């Protein structure tokens, strides 16, 4: 057994794409199993930067099979334009990409409805990516308004169902936002049947494919999107995404039980970031936060929004590690902290005078949490050129040791820059 999972332990954007890309060589199949085009993976490959959203990172290597599994929600237009982008840069995307016929489809009404709902929440808006992800997952759970990829290949029933759904959505949208223009079911059906034709070569029963791949001894690499603290069930609800973005989602989203995975790698940044609303105890609304944002280029891949930045929160990341069941850590963007005199790590919270290392289940409690910090001296030296842990400044090693100790998992990979070579393997 040598299948691996790469899971973010914070609020997403942990640079998982780089780790997935590094590991693809040692695997045969890369699997995306949740989320949609709300995710953003930036990968530097052959000296070129690629920004992927729906496509698994494995798609950059045509020798690998990439699977968009059942738990993903698919905007076919976005998917086709991503495929086209790769093709236009000389990367062939053909039968090496498989898309689950069970995956649910995002329609224009999902995007309009999400915008209406977000706008109506005012200051309490979730701060979603406005890609219709949450509204599509909601319709999946509700079933009456849900359409799956496989349904697009039964044009008559698809048209009839869409007619009915769009009729109801128009009534709903008019009630919520009277100025909304009604949507035209026939036009949407024509458009989506065109997408279906273009995607046909990729559509498959991916669950069956993955089971056969495992039986044939193929090595799978599961690529998580977002992070554990954005998990619908276990994250900072309601400021979460609508899928199981912790390790918990692998089984339900792919149909592959976790017992088939031999190594779960938890990916964290050397600090913390968050995009969108919701409490963030270690947020730094000061020049240090701005410094981290500038040096780490902390702006959203999908929406371009500036990310909120703060110190490493070991209470939050430790919780992420426990719910995801990771074996080891990959610490990303360590180089971003190189110029700081001192670096703090949140080791506990104080809530209403009580000290705890438990991650609160209620956002109201998390919002009142005051971080208890361990402050370490900075290393004040460029680490981006180092390739061996033994060459790291003692202060940087002490920092990594603290993260491992507080989370209770060993550090196996340290990333000191965006390129593949800027990676230190602490244990092979
Ligand atoms: P949604 O996933 O678009 O519904 O957004 C819900 C929350 O998840 C918002 O706070 C988003 O900013 C956040 N989110 C969604 N995708 C990502 C991601 O890939 N990285 C970081 N945050 C994300």
């Amino acid at each position: 057994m040598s299948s691996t999972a790469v899971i973010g332990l914070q609020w997403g954007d942990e640079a998982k794409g780089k780790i997935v890309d590094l590991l693809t060589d040692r695997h045969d199949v890369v699997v995306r199993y949740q989320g949609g085009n709300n995710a953003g993976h930036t990968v530097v490959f052959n000296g070129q930067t690629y920004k992927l959203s729906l496509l698994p990172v494995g798609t950059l290597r045509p020798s690998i099979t990439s699977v968009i599994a059942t738990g993903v929600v698919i905007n076919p237009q976005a998917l086709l334009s991503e495929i086209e982008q790769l093709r236009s840069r000389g990367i062939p995307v053909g039968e090496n990409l498989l898309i689950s016929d069970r995956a649910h489809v995002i329609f224009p009404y999902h995007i309009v409805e999400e915008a209406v709902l977000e706008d109506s929440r005012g200051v309490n808006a979730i701060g979603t990516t406005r890609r219709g992800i949450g509204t599509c997952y909601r319709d999946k759970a509700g079933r009456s308004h849900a359409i799956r990829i496989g349904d697009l290949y039964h044009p008559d029933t698809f048209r009839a169902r869409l007619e009915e759904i769009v009729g109801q959505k128009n009534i709903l949208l008019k009630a919520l936002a009277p100025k909304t223009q009604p949507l035209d079911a026939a036009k949407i059906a024509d458009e989506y049947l065109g997408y279906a034709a273009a995607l046909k070569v990729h559509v498959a029963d991916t669950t069956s494919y993955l089971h056969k791949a495992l039986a044939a001894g193929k090595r799978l690499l599961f690529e998580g999107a977002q992070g554990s603290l954005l998990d619908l069930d276990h994250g900072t609800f309601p400021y979460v995404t609508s899928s199981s973005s912790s390790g918990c989602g692998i089984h339900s989203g792919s149909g592959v039980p976790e017992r088939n995975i031999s190594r779960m790698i938890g990916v964290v940044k050397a600090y913390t970031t968050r995009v969108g609303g919701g409490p963030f105890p270690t947020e730094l609304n000061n020049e240090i936060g701005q410094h981290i944002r500038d040096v780490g280029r902390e702006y959203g891949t999908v929406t371009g929004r500036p990310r909120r930045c703060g110190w490493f929160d070991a209470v939050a990341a430790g919780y992420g590690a426990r719910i995801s069941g990771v074996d080891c850590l990959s610490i990303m963007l360590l180089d971003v902290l190189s110029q700081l005199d001192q670096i703090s790590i949140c080791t506990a919270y104080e809530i209403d005078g009580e000290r705890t290392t438990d991650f609160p289940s209620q956002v109201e409690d998390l919002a009142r949490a005051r971080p208890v910090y361990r402050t370490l001296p900075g290393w004040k030296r460029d680490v981006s050129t180092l390739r061996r842990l033994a060459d790291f400044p003692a202060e940087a090693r002490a920092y990594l040791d603290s993260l491992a100790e507080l989370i209770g998992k060993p550090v196996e990979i340290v990333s000191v820059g965006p390129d593949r070579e800027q990676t230190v393997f602490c244990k092979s």
Side-chain angles (χ1 to χ4, degrees):
M1 224 180 30
S2 43
S3 292
T4 311
V6 175
I7 312 285
L9 303 187
Q10 297 164 310
W11 280 287
D13 306 319
E14 297 93 348
K16 298 174 288 295
K18 172 172 169 175
I19 299 304
V20 174
D21 179 52
L22 279 170
L23 297 174
T24 40
D25 289 353
R26 303 183 212 164
H27 294 82
D28 306 295
V29 183
V30 178
V31 189
R32 252 302 287 276
Y33 53 88
Q34 45 75 224
N37 62 323
N38 49 350
H41 285 319
T42 305
V43 187
V44 181
F45 178 65
N46 279 349
Q48 294 214 41
T49 302
Y50 295 89
K51 289 189 188 295
L52 303 177
S53 196
L54 255 172
L55 286 176
V57 169
T59 322
L60 294 172
R61 292 160 200 272
S63 58
I64 305 265
T65 301
S66 291
V67 172
I68 299 179
T70 300
V72 177
V73 287
I74 297 179
N75 177 327
Q77 185 188 28
L79 179 56
L80 282 164
S81 82
E82 238 178 279
I83 292 173
E84 202 36 57
Q85 259 184 57
L86 289 199
R87 286 187 182 142
S88 69
R89 293 173 74 177
I91 298 181
V93 184
E95 285 170 17
N96 57 322
L97 172 68
L98 298 179
I99 301 166
S100 171
D101 56 357
R102 293 185 177 93
H104 283 249
V105 183
I106 297 177
F107 284 90
Y109 47 79
H110 288 128
I111 297 167
V112 177
E113 201 181 338
E114 181 171 320
V116 167
L117 292 172
E118 276 286 89
D119 291 343
S120 73
R121 286 178 70 108
V123 290
N124 294 321
I126 293 164
T128 72
T129 56
R130 296 186 176 235
R131 300 288 161 105
I133 308 293
T135 35
C136 182
Y137 274 119
R138 191 206 48 204
D139 281 348
K140 169 179 173 174
R143 288 147 296 152
S144 319
H145 291 160
I147 291 182
R148 306 195 296 173
I149 289 284
D151 298 329
L152 302 177
Y153 299 97
H154 303 280
D156 294 341
T157 35
F158 165 63
R159 276 186 188 281
R161 289 220 37 232
L162 196 68
E163 183 87 30
E164 192 187 324
I165 294 169
V166 170
Q168 292 177 7
K169 292 286 182 185
N170 280 338
I171 295 168
L172 187 79
L173 287 169
K174 185 115 193 113
L176 287 171
K179 288 194 187 132
T180 315
Q181 292 298 313
L183 295 158
D184 181 335
K187 214 168 132 204
I188 300 173
D190 289 342
E191 185 186 330
Y192 273 64
L193 288 172
Y195 299 146
L199 289 173
K200 194 155 196 291
V201 61
H202 306 291
V203 175
D205 176 347
T206 56
T207 309
S208 162
Y209 170 83
L210 292 173
H211 290 168
K212 286 180 186 147
L214 279 171
K218 295 211 168 145
R219 299 154 301 174
L220 313 186
L221 176 58
F222 293 88
E223 172 183 332
Q226 291 89 40
S228 300
L229 305 176
L230 288 172
D231 186 283
L232 178 62
D233 291 293
H234 304 287
T236 48
F237 193 89
Y239 300 99
V240 291
T241 192
S242 307
S243 64
S244 299
S245 53
S246 66
C248 304
I250 297 175
H251 192 168
S252 62
S254 69
V256 175
E258 267 164 47
R259 66 167 66 107
N260 292 289
I261 300 171
S262 45
R263 207 158 66 118
M264 304 268 283
I265 303 177
V267 187
V268 289
K269 275 179 182 163
Y271 46 93
T272 311
T273 63
R274 171 160 213 179
V275 218
F280 178 179
T282 61
E283 183 167 15
L284 293 167
N285 284 313
N286 58 16
E287 67 287 356
I288 301 178
Q290 188 58 44
H291 171 83
I292 292 174
R293 186 174 304 115
D294 292 341
V295 180
R297 292 180 296 278
E298 293 293 355
Y299 295 88
T301 312
V302 172
T303 59
R305 289 180 287 181
R307 294 181 184 139
R308 301 158 65 191
C309 299
W311 295 126
F312 190 89
D313 183 342
V315 178
Y319 169 73
R322 287 192 294 281
I323 56 171
S324 288
V326 300
D327 302 301
C328 60
L329 301 175
S330 180
I331 312 278
M332 312 303 288
L333 293 128
L334 186 72
D335 52 301
V336 172
L337 303 180
S338 290
Q339 293 158 42
L340 298 173
D341 294 323
Q342 291 190 317
I343 304 172
S344 296
I345 305 171
C346 170
T347 57
Y349 296 148
E350 247 173 40
I351 305 176
D352 304 335
E354 294 277 323
R355 193 171 280 210
T356 181
T357 52
D358 285 343
F359 190 68
S361 56
Q362 306 299 310
V363 281
E364 293 79 4
D365 295 337
L366 186 63
R368 294 199 316 285
R370 291 156 55 110
V372 176
Y373 285 120
R374 175 188 295 179
T375 297
L376 286 84
W379 43 92
K380 304 282 283 175
R381 217 184 105 192
D382 177 23
V383 291
S384 66
T385 53
L386 304 180
R387 300 293 175 266
R388 290 185 330 140
L389 199 59
D391 298 333
F392 275 45
E395 295 84 355
R397 294 186 61 164
Y399 185 70
L400 295 170
D401 287 347
S402 278
L403 301 189
E405 170 223 316
L406 290 164
I407 296 179
K409 295 291 167 193
V411 175
E412 286 199 1
I413 303 173
V414 181
S415 173
V416 291
D419 290 332
R420 294 190 111 217
E421 310 80 60
Q422 293 177 297
T423 313
V424 176
F425 290 91
C426 310
K427 193 183 128 195
S428 56

